[in-house]
Amino acid sequence: MEIALIVLGAIIAYSVFTYLMQRKIVKTLTQEEFRAGYRKAQLIDVREPEEYAAGHILGARNIPLTQLRMRMKELRPDQPIYLYCQSGLRSGRAAQMLYRKGYRDLYHLKGGFKQWTGKVKTKK
């Protein structure tokens, strides 16, 4: 029982630490704030290719979180990076990964693509 409580405490502590770290390194934007700035930035959809093909924000480039480590050199560290995924979880993880590699101007969409009401493009 003690071991289970220790493990549970460690998981909670890690989750809180991750949440606080994420708030420090990536700015969460409302849809209006995101829409106002993403055209002057690198707009990256970190969802998987089939999710991207089903519909994505007009002008977004697809670099799935699973490929981000290998494709990081495609991103310019001197320009803002606007990230989004389906709900906001993967884009937060992507921001942490980018931050560790020296990227600092990071933003992500609150609520993710599922709450997006702006222009959308689908691949046919």
Side-chain angles (χ1 to χ4, degrees):
M1 184 68 170
E2 278 183 42
I3 293 174
L5 288 175
I6 291 171
V7 169
L8 181 61
I11 291 169
I12 291 170
Y14 176 76
S15 298
V16 169
F17 172 77
T18 302
Y19 172 76
L20 293 173
M21 188 64 166
Q22 210 173 82
R23 286 190 52 164
K24 179 183 170 193
I25 64 173
V26 62
K27 183 165 177 24
T28 302
L29 301 177
T30 64
Q31 198 169 146
E32 293 75 30
E33 294 168 327
F34 197 86
R35 194 178 282 127
Y38 81 84
R39 285 187 181 89
K40 299 177 193 129
Q42 301 169 87
L43 178 60
I44 308 299
D45 183 328
V46 297
R47 299 175 303 156
E48 291 301 311
E50 57 277 0
E51 293 173 286
Y52 177 82
H56 57 272
I57 297 174
L58 194 62
R61 223 174 347 148
N62 185 222
I63 302 179
L65 180 61
T66 55
Q67 298 175 14
L68 188 58
R69 261 185 188 59
M70 297 175 295
R71 296 180 60 188
M72 212 173 275
K73 287 183 174 61
E74 294 177 31
L75 300 173
R76 293 183 52 176
D78 62 328
Q79 291 184 344
I81 300 173
Y82 278 50
L83 302 160
Y84 75 92
C85 62
Q86 194 64 22
S87 66
L89 293 173
R90 286 177 279 181
S91 58
R93 288 203 308 257
Q96 287 178 325
M97 198 181 295
L98 290 166
Y99 187 85
R100 284 193 294 270
K101 295 296 183 181
Y103 296 83
R104 293 295 182 260
D105 206 357
L106 303 168
Y107 305 86
H108 81 131
L109 178 61
K110 181 180 182 179
F113 184 72
K114 69 180 177 187
Q115 298 198 356
W116 180 254
T117 59
K119 291 186 180 179
V120 173
K121 180 173 179 164
T122 55
K123 286 196 171 185
K124 296 179 177 159

